[in-house]
Amino acid sequence: MSFTSSDFFLGFYPITLLGYWFLRHRYSAPLAFSWLSLCSILLYGWWDSTHLPVLAASLCVNYALGAWLSRVPGSKPRLKSLSLAAGIAVNVFALGYYKYFWFFVDSVNTVLQTSYAATSTDIPLGISFLTFVQIAYLVDVYNGTSVRSSFLHYSVFITFFPKFIAGPIVRHKQFLTQLHATSITSYSCAAGIAEGLTVFAFGLFKKVVLADSLGRGVDPLFASIAAGTDPSFVEAWIGVLSYTFQLYFDFSGYTDMAIGLALTFGISLPQNFNSPYKATSIIDFWRRWHITFSTFLRDYLYIPMGGNRKGIFRQHLNLLATMVLGGLWHGANWTFIIWGALHGIFLIANHIWTKMNFPCPPLLGRTITFLSVVVAWGWFRVGNASQEFVYVNHWLVLMDCCRPRRA
């Protein structure tokens, strides 16, 4: 039996919300959290019952690893490092098996002309976000920047249904400190519900009215390209520009809905977007677009790789590697890798330009940044690399049209 939006809004959500606040006011916070975690797990099971054991195993294994890491004394740094490495390896292995194994085998077959058998498997719901959040938790425990939590609190942190599918990626400490708060009154409850539903309504408008309307024009165009049709210059650019805004309103809308639903439970999730298409540089863009994701890449990939501490060459290599891995995280396809590599190259060029201290007027910076982002989104949307060359050709035509001519 499929789970519909009517089931969610007329059944699951109001029952979960009323039950949570009733238990929290009349009985205790632990009982309310138990109810919230149970409902979140049941919702996951309704969506994806076949992979419910994967969620359960991930919860138990990572909580146990975190508890073990917190007990390893500082006098045994090697043991602590090996424990963290083992925890990260377990999570990466699970993500790799479900999301990337067939892609890896298929790529090997293409390069080496072999015929190893591998088929894509059903991907557990939300496994990418689940992996990121739990790796971040283990690293925070290792660094001593997390807060102590019971298994109940950890379960709420991981399974909390508003953020489970599409984020935002919230840190363990950010979330748990809110669960420990005790100043909950009837007024704050009512105010949180009112504010949350307002934010949710804005997000729903972005998704249903704006993103879905744009999508009805974008999808047929990309489908025709996949079928071998070469669009005109105008059609190609209308398509990629429409997708640029469809993607923003879709993802930003989902994020606002998640933030709004969380507020109705008295939990604040971090903002994820800040007018990214107004960015004056690609560095500025990544401070505004999917903020929790870019912050995760910075803190848990780029800085541990060495960041900018080991010379310019290593800084640029770290930037490129971080963005390629960030692209691969989005999906098992070479187009995502190319998208990530493009952004890595853009960031390197931005850093070089900044170090050379050349001025760049804000309007020019916004224009260059926006066009760069738009071109990269073309790779993000297409099904395979050959389809994107259609857009590359139109990009070259545009560049040729803009090139100064001699009299």
Side-chain angles (χ1 to χ4, degrees):
M1 183 173 61
S2 62
F3 186 81
T4 66
S5 57
S6 297
D7 296 325
F8 180 85
F9 289 112
L10 299 179
F12 171 82
Y13 172 65
I15 292 172
T16 302
L17 182 66
L18 292 173
Y20 172 80
W21 285 116
F22 173 77
L23 292 171
R24 185 143 193 188
H25 277 285
R26 291 292 300 271
Y27 293 97
S28 66
L31 197 57
F33 296 147
S34 299
W35 168 256
L36 184 55
S37 180
L38 175 64
C39 290
S40 296
I41 292 171
L42 289 175
L43 180 63
Y44 183 94
W46 199 340
W47 273 330
D48 187 11
S49 59
T50 58
H51 291 120
L52 195 55
V54 176
L55 174 63
S58 180
L59 267 176
C60 296
V61 169
N62 280 284
Y63 180 76
L65 285 169
W68 164 256
L69 271 172
S70 66
R71 289 197 296 268
V72 176
S75 58
K76 296 181 178 180
R78 183 173 176 79
L79 176 60
K80 200 163 190 175
S81 297
L82 288 173
S83 300
L84 174 63
I88 293 175
V90 167
N91 284 280
V92 171
F93 175 80
L95 179 64
Y97 172 75
Y98 283 106
K99 193 170 182 179
Y100 301 107
F101 179 69
W102 70 271
F103 170 68
F104 172 76
V105 173
D106 185 60
S107 299
V108 169
N109 286 337
T110 301
V111 173
L112 302 181
Q113 297 297 303
T114 53
S115 56
Y116 297 112
T119 57
S120 59
T121 59
D122 291 335
I123 301 175
L125 193 66
I127 191 170
S128 296
F129 281 95
L130 180 68
T131 302
F132 264 29
V133 167
Q134 298 203 110
I135 287 177
Y137 163 71
L138 294 177
V139 173
D140 288 346
V141 173
Y142 174 84
N143 291 329
T145 56
S146 65
V147 295
R148 287 188 174 275
S149 61
S150 64
F151 181 73
L152 172 60
H153 284 162
Y154 184 74
S155 178
V156 175
F157 164 62
I158 295 299
T159 64
F160 187 48
F161 71 89
K163 70 176 182 62
F164 193 90
I165 304 302
I169 302 172
V170 61
R171 305 291 178 87
H172 180 257
K173 189 173 183 178
Q174 288 176 312
F175 196 91
L176 265 292
T177 50
Q178 296 183 71
L179 296 188
H180 293 156
T182 57
S183 56
I184 302 294
T185 64
S186 297
Y187 174 78
S188 64
C189 167
I193 291 174
E195 182 184 358
L197 291 178
T198 301
V199 174
F200 178 87
F202 278 109
L204 188 64
F205 177 83
K206 286 182 184 178
K207 172 67 181 74
V208 175
V209 177
L210 300 178
D212 289 356
S213 297
L214 288 167
R216 283 191 287 272
V218 170
D219 294 340
L221 177 63
F222 279 91
S224 68
I225 294 173
T229 303
D230 189 2
S232 69
F233 177 85
V234 174
E235 288 174 335
W237 278 94
I238 288 176
V240 76
L241 286 171
S242 297
Y243 177 66
T244 296
F245 288 99
Q246 178 203 0
L247 184 65
Y248 168 72
F249 288 126
D250 190 271
F251 198 6
S252 177
Y254 271 124
T255 299
D256 287 348
M257 286 190 282
I259 291 172
L261 289 177
L263 283 172
T264 64
F265 290 91
I267 295 171
S268 178
L269 299 180
Q271 291 295 324
N272 221 13
F273 294 90
N274 180 22
S275 302
Y277 295 149
K278 293 180 180 178
T280 56
S281 69
I282 206 70
I283 295 173
D284 188 30
F285 173 80
W286 279 104
R287 290 174 181 151
R288 295 166 174 264
W289 175 272
H290 204 344
I291 298 168
T292 58
F293 174 68
S294 58
T295 302
F296 178 94
L297 292 179
R298 182 196 67 196
D299 293 348
Y300 297 99
L301 276 177
Y302 176 69
I303 291 177
M305 285 179 184
N308 60 359
R309 302 187 304 274
K310 299 184 178 181
I312 293 176
F313 177 77
R314 274 294 301 274
Q315 178 191 9
H316 294 169
L317 186 63
N318 293 338
L319 274 173
L320 184 61
T322 298
M323 296 312 297
V324 166
L325 290 172
L328 184 61
W329 176 81
H330 283 86
N333 196 316
W334 282 103
T335 56
F336 292 118
I337 294 174
I338 293 170
W339 172 82
L342 280 173
H343 272 279
I345 293 168
F346 295 158
L347 286 167
I348 291 169
N350 197 165
H351 279 281
I352 292 173
W353 183 274
T354 302
K355 286 184 181 296
M356 295 176 72
N357 205 25
F358 286 149
C360 183
L363 180 59
L364 178 61
R366 285 193 179 95
T367 302
I368 294 173
T369 301
F370 181 72
L371 288 175
S372 299
V373 169
V374 168
V375 171
W377 282 142
W379 289 98
F380 198 86
R381 176 60 176 80
V382 296
N384 58 66
S386 63
Q387 295 171 22
E388 173 56 16
F389 285 114
V390 172
Y391 278 99
V392 172
N393 289 335
H394 290 299
W395 171 250
L396 293 174
V397 169
L398 178 64
M399 294 297 291
D400 185 62
C401 292
C402 295
R403 181 169 56 87
R405 307 288 183 180
R406 288 187 178 181

